[in-house]
Amino acid sequence: MNSAAVQKAPKAAKRSSSADQLLEAASKILAQRNSIDVSLSEIAEASGLNSALIKYHFGSKDGLLVALVRRDATLALKKLDDLVAMQLAPETKVRLHIAGVINTYTKYPYLNRLIHVLLTNSNEKLAREIADFFVKPLVDSQKKILEEGVAAGIFRNVDPMFFYYAIVGACDHIFFGRVSREFVFGAPVITSKTRENYIEFVADMALKSLRRE
Amino acid sequence: MNSAAVQKAPKAAKRSSSADQLLEAASKILAQRNSIDVSLSEIAEASGLNSALIKYHFGSKDGLLVALVRRDATLALKKLDDLVAMQLAPETKVRLHIAGVINTYTKYPYLNRLIHVLLTNSNEKLAREIADFFVKPLVDSQKKILEEGVAAGIFRNVDPMFFYYAIVGACDHIFFGRVSREFVFGAPVITSKTRENYIEFVADMALKSLRRE
């Protein structure tokens, strides 16, 4: 290793760390809001870093938001991959998958919204990239679980598109509706007990829908 | 009737008609988009009217959007009221209610998004007004149908908040996900056949979830 490389290492580590700090600051701000409106200067202020670093690391605010989706979604998709590969009954996989989706939205309540806005407002190339990166693997994993259940004679055949939108919509909407939760149901916060009960409600609904009669 | 009143009548009719034209223009623009971003000048141009009329009739763009929510939601809520009052089996009411929600989103795909943004970005007074005007009556009607089913010994007790978010989320998400529908499922348009099948899928899922075992 020459001295130039030695000198470069700490710089690279610092770069990576400041990029992480910016993502974490953006994540924290978005988790506290109902919208995905966030400015470069807010992110910079919350991270304690200069907003020029956002352009340096991510090119633009959208670049940072895409990186945030990648960061948050990567772990969730990895867990789902692992789940699909496990030796478990298809019913157990459906249940754990729904718990995983709801727990992901608990941790990153802005994630589905952010993906939607990036899909909707980006140029077609970026929108396809996000769909390929996030939605397609999720749909493919669901399909595999559904097919296993059908092959085992437990599940009926359902349209994977219907299953995807019904289940993701059900999991997402209780987070999405924070204001109506507060004003109509008096439940501004989803407690861990409520979350557990909602996982049970949605999983039970999904399994009853899937089971052969 | 004096001549002033006679002269006034056509003006009032014209006022009402230009307000309707502006709402209809905004509705058409929003129905073609995935976002609820629309400018005063776009609405004015599409309606063939001067953008000053928006301020005259609605005070602001937000005023127009609130009026649009009221316009679209009023008919849907009236139909739901009528449904609740009918002498029908609770299962039939659930099925027709879900068809009503999905048909409303088909007609006004922006409606849920628009309500969300108005709930989220408005001052608390307006947000409560929208929640009281739209979400609360919907939830109350659902509660009545669920209670009828429980009283008839057909439905189990479920948390009305869970039912609301799971069902509205399922109904909404297939419209919300227009870009992912296109890129991942190759289904940019929801045909009337798909809509009918999705109503059946969600209604079947809801009823299986509700039935006592």
Side-chain angles (χ1 to χ4, degrees), chain B residues 105-175:
Chain B
Y105 289 149
T106 304
K107 205 166 168 190
Y108 312 117
Y110 55 83
L111 187 58
N112 207 20
R113 240 33 46 192
L114 187 52
I115 289 170
H116 174 74
V117 170
L118 293 173
L119 278 174
T120 304
N121 297 348
S122 305
N123 59 54
E124 189 175 324
K125 187 173 166 287
L126 181 57
R128 279 196 189 271
E129 195 183 311
I130 294 162
D132 285 348
F133 166 74
F134 184 69
V135 184
K136 211 171 170 311
L138 180 50
V139 170
D140 287 343
S141 293
Q142 284 188 345
K143 274 186 193 166
K144 281 182 199 156
I145 298 174
L146 295 181
E147 282 163 10
E148 280 178 28
V150 172
I154 303 162
F155 295 165
R156 67 190 176 106
N157 267 306
V158 299
D159 184 327
M161 182 173 91
F162 288 181
F163 184 79
Y164 173 79
Y165 286 113
I167 296 307
V168 172
C171 291
D172 171 70
H173 221 63
I174 196 165
F175 294 96

Side-chain angles (χ1 to χ4, degrees), chain A residues 6 13 20-21 28 36 55 65-66 106 109 122 134 140-141 153 155 163 169 184:
Chain A
V6 171
D20 290 347
Q21 273 176 263
K28 281 195 174 146
I36 58 122
K55 299 214 169 162
L65 294 176
V66 171
T106 304
S122 305
F134 183 68
D140 287 344
S141 293
F155 294 165
F163 185 79
V184 179

Side-chain angles (χ1 to χ4, degrees), chain B residues 55-200:
Chain B
K55 301 214 167 161
Y56 175 72
H57 284 302
F58 306 105
S60 65
K61 190 178 81 175
D62 271 6
L64 177 139
L65 295 176
V66 171
L68 183 61
V69 165
R70 284 191 180 271
R71 186 198 80 160
D72 295 347
T74 299
L75 190 65
L77 289 171
K78 172 74 176 66
K79 279 189 177 170
L80 181 55
D81 262 2
D82 293 346
L83 175 65
V84 172
M86 279 179 194
Q87 294 292 327
L88 290 170
E91 296 217 347
T92 309
K93 288 189 183 182
V94 168
R95 196 173 283 281
L96 290 174
H97 166 51
I98 288 168
V101 174
I102 290 176
N103 289 331
T104 300
Y105 289 149
T106 304
K107 205 166 168 190
Y108 312 117
Y110 55 83
L111 187 58
N112 207 20
R113 240 33 46 192
L114 187 52
I115 289 170
H116 174 74
V117 170
L118 293 173
L119 278 174
T120 304
N121 297 348
S122 305
N123 59 54
E124 189 175 324
K125 187 173 166 287
L126 181 57
R128 279 196 189 271
E129 195 183 311
I130 294 162
D132 285 348
F133 166 74
F134 184 69
V135 184
K136 211 171 170 311
L138 180 50
V139 170
D140 287 343
S141 293
Q142 284 188 345
K143 274 186 193 166
K144 281 182 199 156
I145 298 174
L146 295 181
E147 282 163 10
E148 280 178 28
V150 172
I154 303 162
F155 295 165
R156 67 190 176 106
N157 267 306
V158 299
D159 184 327
M161 182 173 91
F162 288 181
F163 184 79
Y164 173 79
Y165 286 113
I167 296 307
V168 172
C171 291
D172 171 70
H173 221 63
I174 196 165
F175 294 96
F176 182 59
R178 204 201 59 73
V179 181
S180 60
R181 252 191 4 252
E182 178 175 352
F183 289 172
V184 178
F185 296 101
V189 173
I190 296 179
T191 63
S192 57
K193 180 79 189 144
T194 303
R195 188 173 76 240
E196 288 308 312
N197 290 340
Y198 194 61
I199 289 171
E200 175 53 32

Side-chain angles (χ1 to χ4, degrees), chain A residues 9-127:
Chain A
K11 267 194 197 168
K14 198 177 167 194
R15 265 210 296 280
S16 155
S17 151
S18 64
D20 290 347
Q21 273 176 263
L22 290 165
L23 290 178
E24 189 53 27
S27 175
K28 281 195 174 146
I29 294 170
L30 290 176
Q32 285 160 3
R33 303 201 166 159
N34 291 306
S35 75
I36 58 122
D37 288 335
V38 61
S39 70
L40 291 186
S41 56
E42 284 175 306
I43 299 169
E45 199 186 322
S47 67
L49 297 170
N50 191 298
S51 69
L53 278 171
I54 296 175
K55 299 214 169 162
Y56 174 72
H57 285 303
F58 306 106
S60 65
K61 190 177 79 174
D62 271 6
L64 177 140
L65 294 176
V66 171
L68 183 60
V69 164
R70 283 190 183 270
R71 186 198 81 159
D72 295 346
T74 298
L75 190 64
L77 289 171
K78 172 73 175 68
K79 280 189 178 171
L80 181 56
D81 262 2
D82 292 346
L83 175 65
V84 171
M86 281 180 193
Q87 293 292 327
L88 290 170
E91 296 217 347
T92 308
K93 289 189 182 179
V94 168
R95 196 173 285 279
L96 290 174
H97 165 51
I98 287 168
V101 174
I102 290 177
N103 288 331
T104 300
Y105 289 150
T106 304
K107 205 166 169 190
Y108 313 116
Y110 55 83
L111 187 58
N112 206 21
R113 239 35 43 191
L114 186 52
I115 289 170
H116 174 75
V117 170
L118 292 173
L119 278 174
T120 304
N121 297 348
S122 305
N123 59 53
E124 188 175 325
K125 185 171 166 289
L126 182 55

